[in-house]
Amino acid sequence: MIVTIDGPAGAGKSTVARRLAKRLGFAYLDTGAMYRAVAWIGLRRGIDWNDDEAVGWLAARTSIQWNGDRILVNGEDVSDAIRTTEITAAVGHAADHPAVRRWLVQLQRAVAEGVSLVTEGRDQGSVAFPDAACKIFLVARPEERARRRVEDFHARGEEVEFEKVLADILQRDRADQSRPVGALVKPDGAICLATDGLTIEQVVDRLEEIARKRGIGS
Ligand code: DC
């Protein structure tokens, strides 16, 4: 049984997807972390993303695995290393590459084999799991997403300018929506939930209600 949660950057997908999975007794898959992991190994190997042969070589020689919540690349725990601004800046190269997308979608389907899963990303309901039992499209106004991100920075003791964060969100929206393969779209049959003004708990409550109405969850 698969639940997909797609949506733009900063819509709160990771937090709510993780909590929803826990409530339903499902496993959780953060597919953004997989693109980040590929960007990380690409940077380490000095890959030229325009060289299709090199990208194919990388895909053939890279293993992505999990140990609980931790993501491993060729056995090395990269969970923290993939969250740097350097990786955020480079991840578009991996996410835009059709061969990388084919590789990761195949891996996502393999992970889902025989498992009940809440999977979260940009193309989970549209490309990876079009027949999922429940598809959610999570949205929020860019200003709201920027405001939340600024709060996250402040909670970590970091100062950031709202305008700069907003510009970054709008730039990521453009990149996500214009990707030639796996672009961010509302998947066919997905339920759209706007999270503006809702707390994380309220969003998770709403999602659980939607899922349980479909007979999903233990
Ligand atoms: O959600 P995130 O910021 O960790 O995602 C990292 C990048 O990967 C972001 O540029 C969007 C991209 N991505 C994607 O193209 N498809 C997915 N299923 C998940 C993430």
Side-chain angles (χ1 to χ4, degrees), residues 5-8 11-13 16 136-140 191-193 195 203 207:
I5 302 184
D6 293 298
K13 296 186 302 291
V16 300
I136 307 286
F137 193 58
L138 218 56
V139 295
I191 293 173
C192 190
L193 179 62
T195 66
V203 176
L207 294 183

Side-chain angles (χ1 to χ4, degrees), residues 6 9 13-14 30-33 35-36 83 88 91-92 95 101 108 120-124 172 176 179 182:
D6 293 298
K13 296 186 302 291
S14 299
D30 170 2
T31 63
Y35 287 92
R36 289 173 179 273
R83 300 292 164 193
T88 301
V91 69
R101 299 205 73 90
Q108 288 151 17
E120 165 254 310
R122 305 292 192 285
D123 61 345
Q124 295 301 283
R172 292 184 69 185
D176 282 339
R179 187 160 289 130

Side-chain angles (χ1 to χ4, degrees), residues 167-183:
D168 179 51
I169 291 241
L170 292 172
Q171 163 57 30
R172 292 184 69 185
D173 283 357
R174 274 194 294 276
D176 282 339
Q177 287 159 3
S178 61
R179 187 160 289 130
V181 191

